[in-house]
Amino acid sequence: MTVDYDTLAKTIAALTEGETDQVALMATIACEVHHADDRFDWTGFYRVTKPGVLKIGPYQGGHGCLVIPFNRGVCGAAARTGEVQLVPDVDAFPGHIACASSTRSELVLPVRDVSGEVIAVFDLDSDQPDAFTDKDASSIGAILADVFTK
């Protein structure tokens, strides 16, 4: 199964309409995105809980790391730089944190609130190498912006 981003965006918009609780929004997005494509092996949020620290938030899949500092791993890089991290081979990423040994590639997007501040990162892991594309990044980024910057 391959994701249909137009349908996914409409579904998430309908499910999250009027909701303001960030954790409820994150839980809904993680669930919907995770089940939209077979490439998505682990899908979830790491929330900024204090300066320089991410803690696991709502997710789908196996266990994730509980705490990730901004100076470590792909998620930390996305939080620290505020830029999308599209990693075709996690073994080639300096400082990659192996929360799951099955992860081969990763896509991590910063999540911003209405003021533009990074409040979390959205992490998608795949057990397939080079699983993610620029279209995945732009489509998921648009969904995140629609939900969190209203």
Side-chain angles (χ1 to χ4, degrees):
M1 156 181 52
T2 302
V3 63
D4 173 347
Y5 281 115
D6 290 334
T7 300
L8 181 62
K10 288 174 187 169
T11 300
I12 290 173
L15 290 170
T16 60
E17 184 177 357
E19 182 57 62
T20 58
D21 182 86
Q22 290 180 347
V23 173
L25 293 168
M26 290 176 186
T28 301
I29 292 167
C31 180
E32 290 301 316
V33 172
H34 185 75
H35 294 287
D37 196 304
D38 293 334
R39 296 173 295 157
F40 306 158
D41 190 51
W42 192 96
T43 310
F45 289 86
Y46 284 94
R47 300 168 300 114
V48 178
T49 57
K50 61 183 178 180
V53 176
L54 297 166
K55 281 200 178 179
I56 198 160
Y59 69 92
Q60 299 277 310
H63 294 286
C65 296
L66 296 181
V67 178
I68 298 176
F70 277 26
N71 65 351
R72 295 211 41 230
V74 181
C75 290
R80 183 178 66 254
T81 65
E83 296 176 0
V84 171
Q85 303 293 307
L86 180 59
V87 181
D89 177 4
V90 296
D91 292 332
F93 188 90
H96 174 257
I97 302 169
C99 296
S101 61
S102 61
T103 300
R104 304 273 46 96
S105 58
E106 196 165 354
L107 171 62
V108 183
L109 301 98
V111 179
R112 298 179 188 279
D113 64 11
V114 70
S115 70
E117 185 175 341
V118 175
I119 58 167
V121 298
F122 187 50
D123 181 17
L124 294 100
D125 294 355
S126 182
D127 56 5
Q128 303 169 29
D130 201 15
F132 304 107
T133 66
D134 289 331
K135 179 177 175 158
D136 295 318
S138 63
S139 298
I140 293 170
I143 291 169
L144 295 169
D146 185 53
V147 171
F148 290 100
T149 61
K150 285 184 180 177

